Amino acid sequence: MKKLQFVRHVWRHRRSHRFHVVGMTLLLMLGLSRPVFAQPISVTGTVTSAGGATLRGVTVRVVGSDVAVLTGAGGKYSITAPSDGSLAFTLLGQRPQTVQVGGRRQIDVTMQQMAYLEQVVVTGYSEEQRRADITGAVASVNIEAANKLTAASLLQKLDANVTGVTVDASGSPGSRSTVRIRGISSFQNNDPLYIVDGTPVQDSYINFLNPNDIASIQVLKDASTASIYGSRASNGVIIIETTKRGSVGPPRATLKVRTGIASPTRGYDDFLILDALQYHEILKRSYVNAGLPVPTNVYGDPNNPRVPSYIWPNNCNPNPCSTVNEANYSFPNNLIMKGSAGTNWWDAVFGSAFVGDYNLDVTGGGLDNAYALSFGYFDQQGTAAYNGFQRGSVRINTQFTRKKLVFGENISLSLERSNGGIPNDPGGFAEDGIIGKNILMQPVVPVRDVGGNFASGKAVGLGNQSNPLKFAWGAKDNVSRNDRIFGNLFAGFDLTPQITIRTRLGFNMGQGSFTGFAPIIPENSEPNFTNNLNENASRFTDWTWSNTIKYGKQYGSHNVSLFLGQEANRQTNRFLAAGISNLINTDLNSRFVQDALGDAATKTVTTIGGESALLSVFGKADYNFSDRYVASVTLRRDGSSNLSPDHRWGTFPAFGLGWRISQEKFLANNKLFSDVMLRFGWGVTGNQAIPSGRIVSQFGGSRGDTYYDIGGTNNTVTAGFRETSLGNKDLKWEENKSTNVGVDLALWDRKVDVVIDVYNRETNNLLFDPPIPATAGIAAPPIVNVGKMENRGIDFSIGHRASNWSVSFNGSRYKNKIVQIDGVQDFFYGPISTRFGNQVINKVGNPIGSFYGYQADGFFSDAADIAAHARQDGAAPGRIKFRDTNGDGQITLADRTIIGSPHPDLTAGLDLSYRRGDWDVSATFFGTFGNEIFDAQKEYYVFRNFSTNVRKDLLTDSWTEQNKNAKYPRLDVNDNFSRAISSFYVEDGSYVRLRNLQLGYEVPPKYLRWIPAAKLYLQAENLFTLTGYDGLDPALPAANIFGPAGDIRDQYRGIDRGSYPSSRTFSLGIITNF
Amino acid sequence: MVRWTALVILAAGVSYGCKDFLEDAAKPQGTLNEQTLQTKAGVEGSLIAAYRTLDWNNGVGGAWGNAASNWVWGSVTSDDAYKGSEASDQPPINDVEAYQWATADAESYLNDKWRGAYEGVVRSNATLRLLKNVTAAKPGEISAADAASIEGEALFLRAHYTFEAWRMWGNIPVYKETDSDFRKANSTAAEALAEIIKDLDAAIAKLPVASRNGQTGRVNQWVAKAYKGRVLVYGGQFPAALTILREVRTAGPYALESSYDKVWTGFKDLENGKETIFAYQASINGGEPNGNDSNYGERLNFPHGGSTLESCCGFHQPSQNLVNFYAVDAQGLPLALTDPNWNARNTNLTAATIIPVDPRLDWTVGRDGVPYKDWGKHADTWIRAPAYGGPYSPKKNVHEKASGASSSVGWVPIQLNSVNMHLFRYADLLLMLAEAEVEAGVLENARTIVNQIRARAAVTAQGPGTDRATIAVPINDSRITWANYRVGQYTTPWTSQADARTRVRYERRVELAMEGQRFFDLQRWGIAEATLNAYLAAEKTRRLYLAAAAPFATRHRYYPIPAIQIELSKVSGAERLKQNAGW
C-alpha cells in the first residue's frame, strides 16, 4: 500500500509550505512558484532504490503543476513534461528528489532513504510536521508491517511496531483491542483518543475502519504533543489518516486479495485428560486419599472401573448403566446418553477456519479534484464452531480545489456482522462461555446422545457444565450488527498567503443490533426447559465541528507559526432492549418479540440513553530558529457537560523544547553522530470520560430490585424507587501531567536511527468511584476526584535500513503505581471474582490490578511440618502451605499479600526484512517479559471445581509420600483449603512470538500481459510461541468489565478465565494494479 | 474584505449558544431525581423499595446469602440441615457450614448478608427522610393518617433489618435517618437492641391497627407489637415480652391455620391467612423477566434434576439428625425427650421403614417413597449427590404442583415460585410466648400453648397427592402407607421449669425446622456450643466432609463482621468498625 501514501493531504502540502518549515519537499516547491513552461515532451524512466530494487508507487510530478503519475511495475513511469521543466520524485520514507528534464526523454532515478528527522508526520489537527520540529514523543507505525497481520482491526497489532504501546486482544474474530499508551493513567476508561481523518472517536474496536484504508498512524504519547487535544487526551492520542486521495490522471485500481486458514495456536487437548478411565483414576485417588468411598454410579467398581455403556438415565438399575432400552428415548424428557471412552472436547469445538480479505481501491483526479474510492470485504471465521465476523466497507474520499478554497469529504460506510457465542469477547471470559469451564467437560461425556441431540454431564459427579458445542450451536444465529457512517466534510481557505482558515465537520453515526437466543438445555445436570429470546438495538450520533486558523511566517532564521482553534462536540445515544421467553416456534423466522410468539407475560422492553457535550478553544505556537532550536507552546481550554457547572472548564497547557545539537558547529561532520535532536516536553491533558449526568444523585428502580407485591396478589408488583447512584456536584477534570525527555539520533552516516524517550506521567484528581461502606447502601458510589496514579517508563527504538535489508527493534517499559485512592482507604479489591474469591487488589504503592492472595510455600510434608508452621485451617500433608506474612502464628485473611502483577517489565518488537531480486521476506516478532498471569482456570483443571476435566500431569505430578516435590497438591476431594487464592495460581506470562513471517514475490513484467503489476505472497502468523506459561495462551485479552463509572477492564487484567486463543494463520495473497 | 467577512461569519457561527450547549447535554437521561420524587408517589415508592429488600436477591448479587429465610445462616449452620447439593457447588457455604467463618469464601457470603441488611436500613431511612421533606414542603400532599402509617412502616422495617444484622453480628453500627456519616463505630449488642426496641415502640405508636389500604403485605400495629415481643425474647427480656405477647395472643387478629399443610403453600387462597404475621410476599409472572420477585432466595432448595420437578440443585438438605428428631414415642411425644438413643439411626428413613413419627416430618422433609406434596413420590434419583448431602430434600419452600405457583420465566423457572416466606408466623410467636411463660414460671400456660400447636399438627398429614384434595389427608387416612403418624398432647401438668423449657424448645424445633430459625434459637438459648459439637460428633460419621469442620467455639457466638466492611470503615487509617471477639 505504500504506493498510495504519497497523495495524502495534497491540499495541505500546498498550503503548509507558506508558513511552516516542512522539509525538502516543500522547500523545493517554494523555489518554483513562478514556473515557466516550454514545449512539452514525453519522459519515461525507471525509479530504483539505493540497493537497486525497483520502486513502485513513487510519485512523479511535474514541478509547478498538478500533473503527476505513479511508477508502476518495475518502477517504470511515463509522463509529459516541459522540456526545460523539472520532475519531482517523492515516496514516503525516501528523500525527495528533483531532476531537471533538460530535454531528456529518459530519466532514471535512484532514491535515497530519508533521514529520520526529515520525515514528515501528522500531528495535531492534521497538521504535518517534520520530525525535526517535534519536541514531544510521537511514534509512527510501520503500516506495511502492521498490515501484514490478519485482524479486523489494525489496532490489534500495533504493539510490535510502535514503542510505548501495549495491545491486548484475543483470537476471537472481530475481537476488541485494549490499546494502552505508556501504562495506565486511571482506574477506568483508559482508551486512547483516536483521531480518524481529524474526527475524534474513543472506541475499543475501531472495527468499522478497514485497515486497508489506513495510510498512516501516529501515536502522540506525551502531553506536549497530545494536549492540543486536551480534553480527552490523557490516555494518549492515535492519529489515523485514511486519506488515499487520487492524483491527476485516469482511474487507477489496486486489487488485493488474501485468503487463509486459521487454527488455534494451542488447544486444551494438549494438556487435559482425554481418556475416561484416566479421569476415573483422578477421581478414585481424590476419594481414597480423603478416606471416602469412591462414587460408583458412573464407572462401577473403583477397582475394576469400566467405561459405562450409558451415563444417563440416572439409576437405571443396575447402576452403573449397562442396559437401557433405547426405544424409550424421547427428546427432551427422556434422554439417553452413552458413555464415551474419551471425548476430546477441544477438538469438538475448535478447528481450522477460513479467513478472507478482499480490497479494491480506485483513485484518480483532475487538476482541481482528486478522488479515492475503496471497497473492502473481510471475512474471518472463528476457530471455535459457529462463530465468525464479516465486514463490508466502502470509502469515498474526494477533494476539490477552487482558487483559494479547498473542500471535500472523507466518508466511510461499514457494515459489520458477527455471529456466534463469543463474538466480542465477554462471553469468552466468563466461566460459562464456550471456553471458560464448559470446555472442561469430562471425557466420559459424549458430544451427542443416542438420538443425535446434544448430550451433557447429566449424571451425578459429571459436573454442571454445558456442552460447549451445544453452547456454540445455540448461539450460531446470535447475530450482532454494527453499521457505521464515519467521516467528515472539510473546507480550507487562504485568507492571505500567511493565514489559512479551516473548518471541519466530523461525524460518527452508528446503529447496532443484537439478536440472541438461548435454547432449552434438557441434557444438563441443571436442566432448563425454557427458551429465551432477547434482542436490542442502539444508535448513536457523535459530531465534532472544529474551526481553525493558522498563521505562519519566516523572518530570516526565525520561523514562527501560530494556530488557533475552536471545537464543539456532542454525543447522544439510545439503546432499546427487548426479550421474551418460551417461544412457541424456535425457527429463526419466528424469533421476534411479540405476544403471540411466546409467553406474553415474559415480554420485557427497556430503553436507556445518554448525552454529553464538549466545547473547546485551543492554540499553539511554534518557533524554530535556524533549524537548531525549536520551541512550541500549547494551550487548550475545554468545557464538559459531564462535570460540575462550577468546574466545567479545564485548562491544559503544554510546552516543548528541542535542540538539534547536530546543527551546532562542534558536532558538524561528526563521524558517529550524523544527526542529534534533544527534546523536552511537559504538559497537562485531561479526562472527563465518565457517564453523563453524575453530578446529581439518580433514582430509579426495577421489578427485580425495588418493586414489591405489597398487596399479596402473587402476580402484581407495585412500583418502588431507590437511589441508584450518588451524585457529586463538585466533579471536575482529571488531569494528567506528563514530562518527556527524548533524543533522536542518527548514527554512522544515518545508517542507524535511534529514538529514546523517558517519561513520567502523573494523574491527579483521578475520576473514579471508590467503594463506600455497605451502610451507605448499594447505590453506585459517587464519582470523585481524589485518586492519584503514576506511570514512569522508557520507550526506545533502533533501526537500520540497508539497501536490501532492514531491521528495527523497539522496546517499551513502564511502571505503574497507584499513589492515592481516596485519601482514606489504601486499597480496594478488583471488580469481579472467580469461584474461589477475588484475586485482584488495587493498592497504594502498587500497580493497578495487582494479584492478591496467600503466598504459597510448597506443601506440608508431614505432621512435624504442620506443627512447626503457623496454625492453618485444614493443614494436612500434601496440602498447600501458606505463608504467615504478618507473623501472628495463624493463617488468616490478614496474611494475604501482593502475589503478582499483570504488567510487563518490557515489551519488545523486532521487525526484519530482506529483499533479493523479485523476492522479499519479512518477519515480525513480539515479546513481553516479566508480566504474570493468574491462571484462574486452575480452579477447574487443577482443583476440579464443578467436577470438570483436569490436567494430565495431575496423574503423575500430584503430591504423594513418594513425590513431595510435586507440582500439584495431593489429590483429595476434602481439600477445600489448598485451592484458596494464592500464588499457586500465578505464573510467569512472558512470551516471544513470531507474529508474522511473509515471503513475497514481485512478478516480473515479462510474465504479466494482462495486468500491470502483481505481487504474490505467502504468510504465516503466530507460527511459534516461546513461553513458560502452562495455560492455553499467554496472550490474554483484557476482560470486558464495566462499572457504574465506565469501563474498568484495567482493574482486571492478566487473568486467564478461559479466553479465545490466538490463531495460527497461513494465508496467500495477491496485489495487482490496473 | 471578503476574507475577513467570512472569518467573522464563521466565528459567529461556531460560538452559538455556548452556555446552553453544555447545559443541555448535562441533564441525566432516563433517571428520576430527588425533586421528581418529592411527592406522595415518591414517598410510597421509596417505602415499597424498603419492603422489597425482605428477600433481596439480585440488586447486586448475593441471593443465597440474602435469602429471606436465612437458610444459610440459620439452618445450614444448625443441626437442621446440610448445605446439600454437591461439594463443588457454592463452596462458600461449605465454609459456613464447617464453622470456618474467617475464610475469603465465607466472607463473601457474610458480606452479602451485611449489604442486604444495611440496604434495607438505607431504604427505610430514605423513606423517612423523604416523608419529612414532603410533609414540610407540601403540607396536605399526604394525609396525616397516611403519613403516620408510612412513618410507622418505615420505622418497623428499619427495626427488622437492624434486627437481622443484630442476630448475625450482635455488635453492629445502628443507622437512623439523620445519619450522614456511614463510617460509624459499632454499638454494643445491648445498645443496638435498645435502638431496635425504640424503633418498634415508635412504629407501634404510629401504625394503624389494620394494614393501610387493606394491603396484606403492609405491617400494622399488631405486626409491630408481635415483632417487639420477638425481639424482647431474643434479648432475654422475658417479663416485657410476656406482657406484649400475651396482649397479641388475647387481643390480636392472629390464629393458627386449621392444619399444618396450609402454613407453607403455593395456593393463593391459603396464603396470608390468620397465621401470617409478617411474610415476604413472593410474586411471579408480573413482568419481571428473570423471576427475581419470586421466592428467589430459596430457589436452589429444590430436588435435583432427576425429580419430577426437573428442578435443580438440591441445596439445604435436611440432616439425618433432624429426621431422627421427628420420631415419637407411643404417646406421640418426641422420642428425644425420653430416649437418649433417639439419634442413633443412620439409615435412610424411607417409606419402607414405618416408625411412629410426627406428621410434620413429611411437610418438612422429602423422603424416598413418600409423596412429595403432589409431585409424586420422592426417589433417590431426586438427590444430586447422596453420599455428600444425604438422602433427603427440603420441602417447605416447594409449592404444590396443583397450585400453579411456578414462574414461567427465569433460569429453571419451576423453582421460582410465589410461596411466601414467613418471616414471623403465629406459631413462632406462640412458642416464644410459651418460652416467656416458662421463664415466668407459669408452666401451665406454656403447656396449653404447646398443646395448641400439637393439636393443629395432628389434623393432617401428607397424603397420596394425586390432586389438590389428596395432598393433605387426615393423619390416620388409610391411604398412608409410608409412615405411622402420631402427635400426642402433654396431658399432665408441667411442674419442672427445666422440663418445660426443654419441651417448648423441642416443640419449637419440630414446628419451625428448616425455617432458618434454629441456629439463632440455639444461640440465644446459650446451648449452641454444646448442641452443635454433639451434632458434629455424630454427623461427621454420616457426612464425611463434616470432618473438616472446626469445633464450634466461644467465638462463634457471633458471625465475624465482613473484613471488607471493616476496611471500608477506616477514617484516617483507623478502623471505626471493630471485629467481633475471637475473629
Side-chain angles (χ1 to χ4, degrees), chain B residues 35 88 325 396 426 481:
Chain B
Q35 288 71 42
S88 64
F325 200 76
K396 281 183 170 171
Y426 188 55
T481 59

Side-chain angles (χ1 to χ4, degrees), chain A residues 291-293 312 314-315 333 404 458 460-461 463-464 493-496 499 501-503 521 525-530 543 545 547 549 566 568-570 581-582 599 601-604 609-615 639-641 645 648-649 692-693 695-700 703-722 771-779 822 824-827 829 835-837 871 873-874 893 896 944-947 974 976-977 979, chain B residues 3-4 7 10 13-16 18 21-29 31-34 37 41-42 45-46 48-49 51-52 54 56-60 86 88-91 94-95 100 102-105 107 114-115 118-119 122-123 173 175 182-183 215-218 266 268 271-272 279-289 292-293 304-306 310-313 380-381 383-385 408-413 418 420 544-545 548 555 563-565 567-573:
Chain A
L292 296 176
W312 189 262
N314 195 10
N315 281 20
N333 290 317
K404 294 179 174 175
K458 205 170 173 67
V460 167
N464 70 350
F493 187 75
D494 295 344
L495 278 175
T496 73
I499 299 175
I501 58 170
R502 263 192 223 159
T503 184
I521 40 170
S525 166
E526 296 178 357
N528 192 355
F529 290 84
T530 308
W543 61 258
W545 188 16
N547 301 284
I549 180 163
Q566 184 270 353
N569 167 276
R570 191 172 173 100
S581 295
N582 293 321
D599 177 356
T602 67
K603 195 175 74 174
T604 59
E611 203 169 11
S612 63
L614 283 165
L615 209 54
S640 164
S641 66
R648 194 163 266 170
W649 288 88
S692 59
I695 307 162
V696 296
S697 293
Q698 302 183 357
F699 292 74
R703 285 167 188 268
D705 172 15
T706 56
Y707 283 39
Y708 185 62
D709 184 7
I710 194 73
T713 64
N714 275 8
N715 51 29
T716 314
V717 283
T718 303
F721 314 104
R722 70 172 173 94
I772 51 176
T775 45
I778 58 153
D822 63 358
V824 180
Q825 301 168 65
D826 64 352
F827 78 90
Y829 291 119
R835 286 277 168 180
F836 296 151
R871 192 181 68 74
D873 284 339
L893 292 180
R896 289 176 297 172
R944 219 170 65 83
N945 192 25
F946 285 109
S947 307
N974 263 356
N976 291 344
F977 304 92
R979 65 188 193 191
Chain B
R3 294 167 183 163
W4 294 109
L7 184 61
L10 200 57
V14 298
S15 53
Y16 78 93
C18 278
F21 184 74
L22 293 179
E23 203 57 54
D24 286 352
K27 298 187 176 86
Q29 304 285 302
T31 78
L32 300 168
N33 60 36
E34 216 155 7
L37 292 175
S46 183
I48 291 292
Y51 276 103
R52 182 63 185 83
L54 292 175
W56 186 60
N57 45 68
N58 77 333
V60 288
E86 64 173 351
S88 64
D89 207 349
Q90 298 301 318
N94 297 350
D95 290 347
Q100 308 276 11
T103 67
D105 267 0
E107 194 218 355
W114 179 276
R115 295 203 305 169
Y118 280 98
E119 176 66 8
V122 163
R123 293 184 186 190
Y175 284 89
F182 295 101
R183 294 184 166 88
Q215 284 168 315
T216 182
R218 279 189 203 282
K268 169 89 175 73
E271 282 184 345
N272 293 314
Y280 164 67
Q281 302 290 326
S283 178
I284 50 166
N285 304 333
E288 209 293 322
N292 287 332
D293 46 2
H304 194 53
E310 287 289 0
S311 53
C312 165
C313 303
D380 55 356
T381 56
I383 300 294
R384 188 171 196 171
S408 55
V409 297
W411 172 74
V412 196
S418 60
N420 287 350
L544 299 177
Y545 70 91
R555 64 175 178 163
I564 178 70
Q565 296 302 333
E567 282 297 334
L568 288 170
S569 77
K570 277 184 178 171
V571 174
S572 309

Side-chain angles (χ1 to χ4, degrees), chain B residues 101-125:
Chain B
W101 294 344
T103 67
D105 267 0
E107 194 218 355
S108 70
Y109 259 61
L110 283 163
N111 194 38
D112 289 338
K113 177 68 182 172
W114 179 276
R115 295 203 305 169
Y118 280 98
E119 176 66 8
V121 173
V122 163
R123 293 184 186 190
S124 308
N125 282 334

Side-chain angles (χ1 to χ4, degrees), chain B residues 152 199-208 221 224-226 228 244:
Chain B
D199 273 353
L200 287 169
D201 282 335
I204 290 166
K206 292 282 181 184
L207 284 166
Q221 197 179 64
K225 283 181 172 171
K228 185 186 172 191
I244 198 155

